Amino acid sequence: GAVVSQHPSRVICKSGTSVKIECRSLDFQATTMFWYRQFPKQSLMLMATSNEGSKATYEQGVEKDKFLINHASLTLSTLTVTSAHPEDSSFYICSVGDVGNEKLFFGSGTQLSVL
Amino acid sequence: QKEVEQNSGPLSVPEGAIASLNCTYSDRGSQSFFWYRQYSGKSPELIMSIYSNGDKEDGRFTAQLNKASQYVSLLIRDSQPSDSATYLCAVSTGGGNKLTFGTGTQLKVEL
């Protein structure tokens, strides 16, 4: 399966600051990457689909101006949480899809804590 | 709304026993089904995928799919303490690697 690197693994920040999370596909070129969010004891919720060279597609209820996604190359997608607030504290996970069989492979995740 | 339902557990089984995890889904058009294992504080890891009705075996794991009943299950034989984790059922919705996840079943394998 695909090897996905995500950085940082943990972030603690003050309310009102912005946080950038990087997701890299290490072993193949990914035209599409996915960003999920997981609150404690809950399932993964798809936030947005990151498309290389074009705008991201956001799921209903996800604020595109708050969660900025950039997919400038075939191996890198970034998620920036702007003006973070305590309610944004969550586990953010990126994933890469294996074309043709719909399998998803996940990065190691980023635990964001906003104080 | 497309949903994937799982019993949250915890499901406790003794070491060496068979653990049976179940999942139902609402979208009859779903074609691809996956089981992921997630340890606490870690990201999900793909264990099994299944695309057609019947059983699919991989080592100690067997995935079972019944599209008519909209039901998919995962059997873990000879359960080990290291199998203790949350198991997420995921169903493809709309194609293009877009998956809907269940809330997961916590499995505890006891010595």
Side-chain angles (χ1 to χ4, degrees):
Chain A
V3 179
V4 184
S5 173
Q6 185 173 343
H7 178 80
S9 59
R10 182 177 294 273
V11 179
I12 301 173
C13 68
K14 293 181 179 180
S15 183
T17 60
S18 295
V19 175
K20 178 185 283 188
I21 303 170
E22 291 188 350
C23 179
R24 294 182 183 273
S25 175
L26 298 184
D27 57 352
F28 83 102
Q29 296 178 328
T31 56
T32 303
M33 294 185 182
F34 303 89
W35 287 96
Y36 285 82
R37 179 168 56 181
Q38 186 179 34
F39 292 106
K41 303 294 184 182
Q42 296 187 23
S43 187
L44 279 74
M45 296 300 295
L46 179 64
M47 298 176 65
T49 302
S50 172
N51 303 300
E52 187 269 334
S54 64
K55 293 181 179 180
T57 304
Y58 290 83
E59 295 300 303
Q60 189 173 7
V62 178
E63 301 174 58
K64 62 180 180 180
D65 294 331
K66 180 172 184 61
F67 299 100
L68 301 180
I69 291 174
N70 183 281
H71 194 154
S73 77
L74 289 171
T75 59
L76 174 64
S77 175
T78 62
L79 168 68
T80 301
V81 183
T82 62
S83 186
H85 288 91
E87 57 265 30
D88 298 322
S89 298
S90 185
F91 192 48
Y92 293 85
I93 319 173
C94 70
S95 67
V96 170
D98 195 352
V99 177
N101 59 24
E102 299 186 285
K103 294 179 180 178
L104 279 183
F105 299 94
F106 290 91
S108 55
T110 298
Q111 183 63 53
L112 172 63
S113 299
V114 184
L115 304 178
Chain B
Q1 185 174 357
K2 300 171 182 176
E3 295 181 346
V4 179
E5 301 285 343
Q6 294 181 257
N7 187 317
S8 61
L11 171 66
S12 294
V13 300
E15 184 178 6
I18 296 175
S20 178
L21 305 165
N22 305 314
C23 171
T24 59
Y25 59 95
S26 62
D27 184 5
R28 281 196 171 275
S30 298
Q31 295 295 320
S32 305
F33 307 85
F34 308 91
W35 283 98
Y36 286 83
R37 178 176 62 198
Q38 186 176 27
Y39 293 110
S40 181
K42 304 295 184 182
S43 63
E45 172 192 10
L46 180 64
I47 300 175
M48 292 284 291
S49 60
I50 187 166
Y51 305 97
S52 55
N53 282 327
D55 294 359
K56 179 182 178 183
E57 185 175 321
D58 183 0
R60 296 188 295 115
F61 299 99
T62 299
Q64 300 174 317
L65 175 62
N66 184 325
K67 290 185 179 180
S69 299
Q70 295 175 241
Y71 175 93
V72 58
S73 65
L74 178 69
L75 300 178
I76 306 175
R77 289 181 299 282
D78 189 24
S79 296
Q80 301 297 310
S82 58
D83 295 326
S84 298
T86 296
Y87 290 79
L88 302 171
C89 173
V91 176
S92 70
T93 50
N97 298 106
K98 194 169 182 178
L99 301 184
T100 298
F101 286 82
T103 53
T105 298
Q106 184 184 4
L107 173 66
K108 292 185 177 180
V109 180
E110 300 169 334
L111 295 171

Coordinates of all heavy atoms in Angstrom, one line a residue, chain B residues 56-87:
Chain B
K56 N -13.8 -13.8 2.5 CA -12.4 -13.6 2.0 C -11.5 -13.7 3.2 O -11.6 -13.1 4.3 CB -12.2 -12.2 1.5 CG -10.8 -11.9 1.0 CD -10.8 -10.4 0.4 CE -9.3 -10.1 0.0 NZ -9.3 -8.7 -0.5
E57 N -10.5 -14.6 3.1 CA -9.6 -14.9 4.2 C -8.2 -14.4 4.0 O -7.7 -14.5 2.8 CB -9.6 -16.5 4.4 CG -8.8 -16.9 5.6 CD -8.9 -18.4 5.8 OE1 -10.0 -19.0 5.6 OE2 -7.9 -19.1 6.1
D58 N -7.6 -13.9 5.0 CA -6.2 -13.5 5.0 C -5.6 -13.7 6.3 O -5.8 -13.0 7.3 CB -6.2 -12.0 4.6 CG -4.7 -11.5 4.4 OD1 -3.8 -12.3 4.6 OD2 -4.6 -10.3 4.2
G59 N -4.9 -14.8 6.4 CA -4.3 -15.2 7.7 C -5.3 -15.5 8.7 O -6.2 -16.3 8.5
R60 N -5.3 -14.8 9.9 CA -6.3 -15.0 10.9 C -7.6 -14.2 10.7 O -8.5 -14.4 11.5 CB -5.6 -14.6 12.3 CG -4.5 -15.5 12.7 CD -4.0 -15.2 14.1 NE -3.5 -13.8 14.3 CZ -4.1 -12.8 15.0 NH1 -5.3 -13.1 15.6 NH2 -3.6 -11.6 15.1
F61 N -7.6 -13.4 9.7 CA -8.8 -12.6 9.4 C -9.6 -13.1 8.3 O -9.1 -13.6 7.3 CB -8.3 -11.2 9.1 CG -7.5 -10.5 10.1 CD1 -6.1 -10.4 10.1 CD2 -8.1 -9.9 11.2 CE1 -5.4 -9.8 11.0 CE2 -7.4 -9.2 12.2 CZ -6.0 -9.2 12.1
T62 N -10.9 -13.1 8.5 CA -11.9 -13.4 7.5 C -12.9 -12.3 7.4 O -13.6 -12.0 8.4 CB -12.6 -14.7 7.7 OG1 -11.6 -15.8 7.8 CG2 -13.6 -15.0 6.6
A63 N -13.1 -11.7 6.2 CA -14.2 -10.8 6.0 C -15.3 -11.5 5.3 O -15.1 -12.3 4.5 CB -13.7 -9.6 5.2
Q64 N -16.5 -11.1 5.7 CA -17.7 -11.7 5.1 C -18.6 -10.6 4.7 O -18.9 -9.6 5.4 CB -18.4 -12.6 6.2 CG -17.6 -13.7 6.7 CD -18.3 -14.5 7.8 OE1 -18.9 -13.8 8.7 NE2 -18.3 -15.8 7.8
L65 N -19.2 -10.7 3.5 CA -20.0 -9.7 2.9 C -21.3 -10.3 2.4 O -21.3 -11.3 1.7 CB -19.3 -9.0 1.7 CG -20.1 -8.0 0.9 CD1 -20.6 -6.8 1.8 CD2 -19.3 -7.5 -0.3
N66 N -22.4 -9.7 2.8 CA -23.7 -10.1 2.3 C -24.4 -8.8 1.8 O -25.0 -8.1 2.6 CB -24.5 -10.8 3.4 CG -25.9 -11.3 2.9 OD1 -26.5 -10.7 2.1 ND2 -26.3 -12.4 3.4
K67 N -24.4 -8.5 0.5 CA -25.0 -7.3 0.0 C -26.5 -7.3 0.1 O -27.1 -6.2 0.3 CB -24.5 -7.1 -1.4 CG -23.0 -6.8 -1.6 CD -22.7 -6.5 -3.0 CE -21.2 -6.1 -3.2 NZ -20.9 -5.8 -4.6
A68 N -27.1 -8.4 0.0 CA -28.6 -8.4 0.1 C -29.0 -8.0 1.5 O -30.0 -7.3 1.6 CB -29.1 -9.8 -0.2
S69 N -28.3 -8.4 2.5 CA -28.6 -8.0 3.9 C -27.9 -6.7 4.3 O -28.1 -6.2 5.4 CB -28.2 -9.1 4.8 OG -29.0 -10.3 4.5
Q70 N -27.0 -6.2 3.4 CA -26.3 -5.0 3.7 C -25.5 -5.1 5.0 O -25.6 -4.3 5.9 CB -27.2 -3.7 3.7 CG -27.8 -3.5 2.4 CD -28.9 -2.4 2.4 OE1 -30.0 -2.6 2.1 NE2 -28.4 -1.2 2.7
Y71 N -24.7 -6.2 5.0 CA -24.0 -6.6 6.2 C -22.6 -7.0 5.9 O -22.4 -7.8 4.9 CB -24.8 -7.8 6.8 CG -24.3 -8.4 8.0 CD1 -24.6 -8.1 9.3 CD2 -23.4 -9.5 7.8 CE1 -24.2 -8.7 10.4 CE2 -23.0 -10.2 8.9 CZ -23.3 -9.8 10.2 OH -22.9 -10.5 11.3
V72 N -21.7 -6.6 6.6 CA -20.3 -7.0 6.5 C -19.7 -7.3 7.8 O -20.0 -6.6 8.8 CB -19.5 -6.0 5.7 CG1 -19.5 -4.6 6.4 CG2 -18.0 -6.4 5.4
S73 N -18.9 -8.4 7.9 CA -18.4 -8.7 9.2 C -16.9 -9.1 9.1 O -16.4 -9.3 8.0 CB -19.1 -9.9 9.8 OG -18.9 -11.1 9.0
L74 N -16.3 -9.1 10.3 CA -14.8 -9.4 10.3 C -14.7 -10.5 11.5 O -15.1 -10.2 12.6 CB -14.0 -8.2 10.6 CG -12.5 -8.5 10.8 CD1 -11.9 -8.9 9.4 CD2 -11.8 -7.3 11.4
L75 N -14.1 -11.6 11.1 CA -13.8 -12.6 12.1 C -12.3 -12.6 12.3 O -11.5 -12.6 11.4 CB -14.2 -14.0 11.6 CG -15.7 -14.2 11.3 CD1 -16.0 -15.6 10.8 CD2 -16.5 -13.9 12.6
I76 N -11.9 -12.7 13.6 CA -10.5 -12.8 13.9 C -10.3 -14.1 14.7 O -10.8 -14.2 15.8 CB -10.0 -11.6 14.8 CG1 -10.3 -10.3 14.1 CG2 -8.5 -11.7 15.1 CD1 -10.0 -9.0 15.0
R77 N -9.6 -15.0 14.1 CA -9.3 -16.3 14.8 C -8.1 -16.2 15.7 O -7.2 -15.4 15.4 CB -9.1 -17.4 13.7 CG -10.4 -17.8 12.9 CD -10.1 -18.9 11.9 NE -9.1 -18.4 10.9 CZ -9.4 -17.6 9.9 NH1 -10.6 -17.2 9.7 NH2 -8.4 -17.3 9.1
D78 N -8.1 -17.1 16.7 CA -6.9 -17.2 17.6 C -6.6 -15.7 18.0 O -5.4 -15.3 17.9 CB -5.8 -17.8 16.9 CG -4.6 -18.1 17.8 OD1 -4.8 -18.2 19.0 OD2 -3.5 -18.2 17.3
S79 N -7.5 -15.1 18.6 CA -7.3 -13.7 19.0 C -6.2 -13.6 20.0 O -6.0 -14.4 20.9 CB -8.6 -13.2 19.7 OG -9.7 -13.1 18.8
Q80 N -5.4 -12.5 19.8 CA -4.2 -12.2 20.6 C -4.4 -10.9 21.3 O -5.1 -10.0 20.8 CB -3.0 -12.2 19.8 CG -2.7 -13.4 19.0 CD -2.4 -14.6 19.9 OE1 -1.6 -14.5 20.8 NE2 -3.1 -15.7 19.7
P81 N -3.7 -10.7 22.5 CA -3.8 -9.4 23.1 C -3.5 -8.2 22.2 O -4.0 -7.1 22.4 CB -2.9 -9.5 24.3 CG -2.9 -11.0 24.6 CD -3.0 -11.7 23.3
S82 N -2.6 -8.5 21.3 CA -2.2 -7.4 20.4 C -3.3 -7.0 19.4 O -3.2 -6.0 18.7 CB -0.9 -7.8 19.6 OG -1.2 -9.0 18.9
D83 N -4.3 -7.8 19.3 CA -5.5 -7.5 18.5 C -6.4 -6.5 19.2 O -7.3 -6.0 18.5 CB -6.3 -8.8 18.2 CG -5.5 -9.8 17.3 OD1 -4.7 -9.3 16.5 OD2 -5.7 -11.0 17.5
S84 N -6.2 -6.2 20.4 CA -7.0 -5.3 21.2 C -6.8 -3.9 20.5 O -5.7 -3.3 20.5 CB -6.6 -5.2 22.6 OG -6.8 -6.5 23.3
A85 N -7.9 -3.4 20.0 CA -7.9 -2.1 19.3 C -9.4 -1.8 18.9 O -10.3 -2.5 19.2 CB -7.1 -2.2 18.0
T86 N -9.5 -0.7 18.2 CA -10.9 -0.3 17.7 C -10.9 -0.7 16.2 O -9.9 -0.4 15.5 CB -11.2 1.1 17.9 OG1 -11.3 1.4 19.3 CG2 -12.5 1.5 17.2
Y87 N -11.9 -1.4 15.8 CA -12.0 -1.8 14.4 C -13.1 -1.0 13.7 O -14.2 -1.0 14.1 CB -12.3 -3.3 14.3 CG -11.1 -4.1 14.8 CD1 -10.8 -4.3 16.1 CD2 -10.2 -4.7 13.8 CE1 -9.7 -5.0 16.5 CE2 -9.1 -5.4 14.3 CZ -8.8 -5.5 15.6 OH -7.7 -6.2 16.0

